[in-house]
Amino acid sequence: MAFDPGVIFDYWPQFLEGAALTVRIVAVALVGGIVLAAVITAASFIKLAPLKVLIMVYLAIVRGIPFIIIVFLVHYGLPFAGVRLPALTTGTIALTLFASAYYAEVLRATVLALPRGQWDSARAVGMSPAEAVRHVIIPQILRPALPPLTNYTMTMTKESSVLSAITVGELTYQGLVVQGNTFAPFEVFFVVAGIYWII
């Protein structure tokens, strides 16, 4: 069998549509995940045992089960609780939760790696805790946190393909649709793989 480039040219709008939705989902999950991770990280330093236990349980659960199970729990669990949302919304929520757990571990580790003297110095010159975080802690954790955050964002981008299982029309789902129409799986997923690599 010969490689059929016609599949690519005939269906490129569908591939682009799927790629655009993938980028949008990942962008929302990235922002939401970072915000949620920052809240989790800040809360983890509050000296309140039940809160610490709750955070550790959340991180252990989200990081300890496959992403597809998180997707199914959110997608089918919300209607079970009486909340009905579109698949795109539940998929994005699941990806945000997934990202937040990994981002939180990165932020927490980089904060813990800072010498205690940084906190003490900031407080000694009269900074409030919030000012210390903003002017002293955050500028120092950004550089060491960036490489692992980038790695997890790449992982999150690839994991977004799992959302095809709940019929979110992202890139992998569009590839499955095109493959069903053309019976050319190699050509279709060769293109899909290339687009993921570019993203």
Side-chain angles (χ1 to χ4, degrees):
M1 291 178 63
F3 186 90
D4 181 11
V7 172
I8 303 169
F9 295 118
D10 292 343
Y11 288 93
W12 68 266
Q14 241 173 297
F15 290 123
L16 289 182
E17 181 186 338
L21 184 56
T22 293
V23 170
R24 288 201 302 272
I25 291 169
V26 169
V28 171
L30 169 64
V31 173
I34 288 287
V35 170
L36 187 52
V39 171
I40 292 169
T41 302
S44 70
F45 290 101
I46 296 174
K47 291 177 170 53
L48 193 62
L51 182 60
K52 283 181 178 289
V53 170
L54 187 64
I55 289 168
M56 296 313 293
V57 168
Y58 170 77
L59 295 177
I61 289 173
V62 175
R63 295 175 72 225
I65 60 178
F67 176 57
I68 194 166
I69 303 301
I70 297 172
V71 172
F72 289 152
L73 285 173
V74 173
H75 185 67
Y76 298 114
L78 288 176
F80 186 76
V83 179
R84 299 196 173 276
L85 296 170
L88 176 59
T89 304
T90 57
T92 305
I93 291 170
L95 194 62
T96 300
L97 294 175
F98 174 78
S100 72
Y102 288 90
Y103 290 162
E105 284 294 275
V106 171
L107 295 179
R108 200 163 144 273
T110 52
V111 170
L112 288 172
L114 283 178
R116 177 69 198 177
Q118 297 294 318
W119 289 95
D120 296 337
S121 299
R123 299 309 306 278
V125 297
M127 288 186 183
S128 68
E131 289 173 330
V133 168
R134 180 180 170 193
H135 298 293
V136 178
I137 305 305
I138 289 178
Q140 292 188 77
I141 68 170
L142 285 180
R143 184 172 295 198
L146 196 56
L149 288 176
T150 303
N151 267 345
Y152 285 129
T153 302
M154 289 171 61
T155 299
M156 179 179 65
T157 303
K158 293 181 282 187
E159 290 289 349
S160 70
S161 62
V162 170
L163 301 185
S164 62
I166 57 169
T167 68
V168 174
E170 46 71 63
L171 181 55
T172 298
Y173 182 83
Q174 297 296 349
L176 290 167
V177 171
V178 174
Q179 187 267 334
N181 291 335
T182 61
F183 300 101
F186 178 74
E187 290 88 338
V188 167
F189 290 107
F190 180 83
V191 173
V192 168
I195 294 173
Y196 274 116
W197 184 83
I198 290 167
I199 292 173

